Amino acid sequence: MKRKLVYVMSLRNAAADKAGQWVAYKGERRYMMSPLEYLVHQLNDSELGNLYSLEALIYDDIADYAADQAKLGSYGRAGRDGSPWIYPLDLCVQGRPVNELLENIPSTYRSLPVGDPARSSGKQAFEQRLQQRFQALEADWVVLDGLIVILDELVRPGAPFQGRIVNIHPGLTRQDSPYRRRGATATLDALYGARGQQILNWQTMATRAVTPLNKTGASFHVVDQGIDSGPVLWEVLNTQIEPDDTILELRWKNFTHSLFPALSHGLAYLASQPQGS
């Protein structure tokens, strides 16, 4: 029996990557395939399609929140009138249009001012809505990709989906790895690291000199209540960094050489484990 996957993401993160678009790359143009589109191709064309079914694609962006709409830009029109979208509009997964799987469960608490006491209860309500939807879909595994939210209630010890939510992260997350790059700035951290710099404060851009590291990778890990701190199921360290890379050039390389393999091998590993393990 196929295991049921639910995919959760922030569209604004995919928009920042120029997902689904052709981007400048070393004087050429290359297609920026998103992890979601890569997964769809794997489910259509590889053994993963015999192991999993994709049940839903949930995104947390807030339709009437100006900050989210500014980050989405023209992606906010979802491909209408020739506007960009994160995957080809005719993309299908296992015979079903991907657009039919799209669902919005907005993390509306983020629109409240920092310090507003309602943010905490709003975050709990958001995670409860996610859990209810996962349960209704009878999800076996939930894959996070660029979800710009730190989960708490969903992954606390004893929660129904604790240990069943995994994340694909564009950096190594093992605590003991010299290439460890956790958090939302993982790709930028790697790029500056290749230049022998560590950013100490992203507001002031204060730096300190470090030994240059010219490689980065990706991790497929279980989600816990920390920031990319859960147990690593699969990692790939196969992306060479050139100091003159742009952020999008490095993003393209890391997707292609490390993150996509980590995603496919990680899912294959999960499928090899006993149900409920």
Side-chain angles (χ1 to χ4, degrees):
M1 181 180 297
K2 292 185 181 182
R3 301 190 183 192
K4 296 181 178 180
L5 283 181
V6 173
Y7 200 90
V8 184
M9 67 186 301
S10 298
L11 294 178
R12 57 198 182 279
N13 192 60
D17 287 337
K18 305 295 183 185
Q21 308 306 307
W22 290 84
V23 299
Y25 185 96
K26 308 295 184 187
E28 304 175 356
R29 304 285 287 176
R30 296 199 179 177
Y31 180 70
M32 186 68 82
M33 182 181 294
S34 67
L36 170 64
E37 186 178 345
Y38 172 80
L39 175 60
V40 166
H41 290 307
Q42 291 294 298
L43 293 174
N44 287 340
D45 303 326
S46 80
E47 177 61 21
L48 286 181
N50 296 322
L51 301 173
Y52 294 100
S53 62
L54 184 59
E55 300 297 317
L57 167 57
I58 297 171
Y59 59 98
D60 80 312
D61 307 83
I62 306 169
D64 57 355
Y65 183 35
D68 278 8
Q69 294 309 305
K71 291 174 182 176
L72 283 168
S74 55
Y75 278 88
R77 298 202 300 275
R80 294 187 296 272
D81 304 320
S83 62
W85 189 231
I86 62 173
Y87 51 76
L89 290 174
D90 60 353
L91 186 67
C92 291
V93 58
Q94 297 168 318
R96 185 177 178 186
V98 173
N99 278 347
E100 291 185 1
L101 303 181
L102 279 172
E103 301 182 20
N104 184 210
I105 299 181
S107 48
T108 50
Y109 73 91
R110 293 184 297 104
S111 64
L112 298 173
V114 174
D116 189 321
R119 281 181 69 102
S120 179
S121 59
K123 186 172 186 294
Q124 289 181 345
F126 167 65
E127 293 194 45
Q128 288 169 359
R129 290 195 299 273
L130 285 177
Q131 179 176 300
Q132 290 166 0
R133 190 60 183 131
F134 298 163
Q135 291 172 326
L137 291 164
E138 300 180 335
D140 294 305
W141 293 101
V142 176
V143 177
L144 307 186
D145 164 27
L147 179 68
I148 313 176
V149 169
I150 300 173
L151 298 180
D152 183 28
E153 292 295 314
L154 268 172
V155 295
R156 62 175 170 76
F161 283 89
Q162 189 250 339
R164 292 199 284 148
I165 300 177
V166 293
N167 182 47
I168 184 65
H169 177 73
L172 266 58
T173 60
R174 265 189 306 113
Q175 181 66 33
D176 61 350
S177 173
Y179 297 94
R180 179 167 61 93
R181 308 290 186 193
R182 292 181 179 175
T185 60
T187 303
L188 277 171
D189 286 337
L191 186 55
Y192 277 94
R195 298 168 180 169
Q197 295 177 297
Q198 180 186 10
I199 303 296
L200 301 176
N201 186 307
W202 285 102
Q203 279 70 48
T204 65
M205 295 303 291
T207 66
R208 72 179 180 96
V210 294
T211 302
L213 294 175
N214 65 351
K215 294 182 75 173
T216 192
S219 299
F220 186 78
H221 66 89
V222 176
V223 176
D224 62 11
Q225 292 171 295
I227 298 175
D228 301 320
S229 54
V232 176
L233 302 175
W234 204 276
E235 68 176 31
V236 177
L237 179 65
N238 195 38
T239 304
Q240 291 293 136
I241 308 172
E242 299 170 51
D244 66 345
D245 280 342
T246 66
I247 183 65
L248 285 179
E249 287 170 345
L250 180 53
R251 199 74 159 168
W252 186 94
K253 285 197 293 187
N254 201 34
F255 279 2
T256 303
H257 299 298
S258 293
L259 190 142
F260 292 165
L263 177 57
S264 56
H265 286 294
L267 284 171
Y269 170 78
L270 281 184
S272 72
Q273 304 304 297
Q275 194 87 12
S277 65

mmCIF file of all heavy atoms in Angstrom, residues 53-54 87 98 108 113 118 129 136 147 160 177 246 251:
data_model
loop_
_atom_site.group_PDB
_atom_site.id
_atom_site.type_symbol
_atom_site.label_atom_id
_atom_site.label_comp_id
_atom_site.label_asym_id
_atom_site.label_seq_id
_atom_site.Cartn_x
_atom_site.Cartn_y
_atom_site.Cartn_z
ATOM 1 N N SER A 53 1.885 8.317 -2.494
ATOM 2 C CA SER A 53 0.933 9.145 -3.233
ATOM 3 C C SER A 53 0.942 10.529 -2.603
ATOM 4 O O SER A 53 1.038 10.669 -1.378
ATOM 5 C CB SER A 53 -0.475 8.552 -3.174
ATOM 6 O OG SER A 53 -0.957 8.507 -1.834
ATOM 7 N N LEU A 54 0.867 11.572 -3.438
ATOM 8 C CA LEU A 54 0.817 12.943 -2.946
ATOM 9 C C LEU A 54 -0.642 13.332 -2.772
ATOM 10 O O LEU A 54 -1.402 13.369 -3.748
ATOM 11 C CB LEU A 54 1.527 13.887 -3.923
ATOM 12 C CG LEU A 54 1.649 15.346 -3.499
ATOM 13 C CD1 LEU A 54 2.417 15.482 -2.193
ATOM 14 C CD2 LEU A 54 2.326 16.167 -4.593
ATOM 15 N N TYR A 87 5.644 26.228 -10.702
ATOM 16 C CA TYR A 87 5.782 25.034 -11.537
ATOM 17 C C TYR A 87 4.937 25.253 -12.788
ATOM 18 O O TYR A 87 4.075 26.144 -12.817
ATOM 19 C CB TYR A 87 5.331 23.763 -10.797
ATOM 20 C CG TYR A 87 3.958 23.850 -10.166
ATOM 21 C CD1 TYR A 87 2.796 23.759 -10.935
ATOM 22 C CD2 TYR A 87 3.819 24.003 -8.788
ATOM 23 C CE1 TYR A 87 1.543 23.839 -10.366
ATOM 24 C CE2 TYR A 87 2.565 24.091 -8.207
ATOM 25 C CZ TYR A 87 1.432 23.992 -8.999
ATOM 26 O OH TYR A 87 0.185 24.074 -8.430
ATOM 27 N N VAL A 98 -1.566 19.097 -10.455
ATOM 28 C CA VAL A 98 -1.040 19.545 -9.170
ATOM 29 C C VAL A 98 -1.887 20.681 -8.614
ATOM 30 O O VAL A 98 -2.093 20.779 -7.398
ATOM 31 C CB VAL A 98 0.440 19.963 -9.315
ATOM 32 C CG1 VAL A 98 0.958 20.586 -8.024
ATOM 33 C CG2 VAL A 98 1.295 18.762 -9.700
ATOM 34 N N THR A 108 -2.113 32.998 9.927
ATOM 35 C CA THR A 108 -2.575 34.374 10.077
ATOM 36 C C THR A 108 -2.003 35.079 11.304
ATOM 37 O O THR A 108 -1.948 36.317 11.327
ATOM 38 C CB THR A 108 -4.111 34.421 10.146
ATOM 39 O OG1 THR A 108 -4.553 33.466 11.123
ATOM 40 C CG2 THR A 108 -4.718 34.046 8.804
ATOM 41 N N PRO A 113 1.068 42.194 15.409
ATOM 42 C CA PRO A 113 2.320 42.834 15.840
ATOM 43 C C PRO A 113 3.128 41.922 16.760
ATOM 44 O O PRO A 113 2.557 41.161 17.559
ATOM 45 C CB PRO A 113 1.841 44.084 16.590
ATOM 46 C CG PRO A 113 0.447 44.323 16.110
ATOM 47 C CD PRO A 113 -0.120 42.980 15.789
ATOM 48 N N ALA A 118 -1.940 37.685 21.392
ATOM 49 C CA ALA A 118 -2.769 36.815 20.550
ATOM 50 C C ALA A 118 -1.933 36.005 19.567
ATOM 51 O O ALA A 118 -2.438 35.046 18.974
ATOM 52 C CB ALA A 118 -3.799 37.642 19.799
ATOM 53 N N ARG A 129 -5.088 23.547 13.052
ATOM 54 C CA ARG A 129 -5.732 23.415 11.740
ATOM 55 C C ARG A 129 -4.909 22.486 10.835
ATOM 56 O O ARG A 129 -5.480 21.677 10.093
ATOM 57 C CB ARG A 129 -5.909 24.792 11.088
ATOM 58 C CG ARG A 129 -6.942 25.679 11.764
ATOM 59 C CD ARG A 129 -7.339 26.873 10.890
ATOM 60 N NE ARG A 129 -6.215 27.742 10.582
ATOM 61 C CZ ARG A 129 -5.814 28.742 11.350
ATOM 62 N NH1 ARG A 129 -6.435 28.993 12.487
ATOM 63 N NH2 ARG A 129 -4.790 29.501 10.984
ATOM 64 N N ALA A 136 -7.392 14.335 8.522
ATOM 65 C CA ALA A 136 -8.464 14.107 7.544
ATOM 66 C C ALA A 136 -7.920 13.457 6.280
ATOM 67 O O ALA A 136 -8.607 12.639 5.648
ATOM 68 C CB ALA A 136 -9.151 15.421 7.211
ATOM 69 N N LEU A 147 9.014 26.051 4.692
ATOM 70 C CA LEU A 147 7.944 26.591 5.529
ATOM 71 C C LEU A 147 8.585 27.541 6.524
ATOM 72 O O LEU A 147 9.366 27.127 7.377
ATOM 73 C CB LEU A 147 7.203 25.482 6.263
ATOM 74 C CG LEU A 147 6.073 25.948 7.187
ATOM 75 C CD1 LEU A 147 4.924 26.538 6.380
ATOM 76 C CD2 LEU A 147 5.582 24.813 8.075
ATOM 77 N N PRO A 160 0.286 13.635 17.854
ATOM 78 C CA PRO A 160 -0.036 12.604 16.857
ATOM 79 C C PRO A 160 0.951 12.524 15.697
ATOM 80 O O PRO A 160 1.199 11.425 15.176
ATOM 81 C CB PRO A 160 -1.437 13.003 16.376
ATOM 82 C CG PRO A 160 -2.029 13.748 17.520
ATOM 83 C CD PRO A 160 -0.896 14.486 18.147
ATOM 84 N N SER A 177 28.878 18.614 12.238
ATOM 85 C CA SER A 177 29.439 18.816 10.900
ATOM 86 C C SER A 177 30.089 20.195 10.788
ATOM 87 O O SER A 177 29.481 21.204 11.146
ATOM 88 C CB SER A 177 28.356 18.700 9.828
ATOM 89 O OG SER A 177 28.881 19.060 8.557
ATOM 90 N N THR A 246 26.413 33.924 -7.356
ATOM 91 C CA THR A 246 25.297 34.696 -6.822
ATOM 92 C C THR A 246 24.457 33.760 -5.962
ATOM 93 O O THR A 246 24.602 32.529 -6.000
ATOM 94 C CB THR A 246 24.423 35.269 -7.945
ATOM 95 O OG1 THR A 246 23.779 34.174 -8.639
ATOM 96 C CG2 THR A 246 25.255 36.087 -8.931
ATOM 97 N N ARG A 251 21.973 28.563 -5.217
ATOM 98 C CA ARG A 251 20.711 27.864 -4.948
ATOM 99 C C ARG A 251 20.456 26.807 -6.023
ATOM 100 O O ARG A 251 20.085 25.676 -5.721
ATOM 101 C CB ARG A 251 19.575 28.888 -4.926
ATOM 102 C CG ARG A 251 18.322 28.411 -4.228
ATOM 103 C CD ARG A 251 18.488 28.372 -2.741
ATOM 104 N NE ARG A 251 17.187 28.401 -2.069
ATOM 105 C CZ ARG A 251 17.034 28.139 -0.790
ATOM 106 N NH1 ARG A 251 18.066 27.831 -0.042
ATOM 107 N NH2 ARG A 251 15.832 28.182 -0.241
#
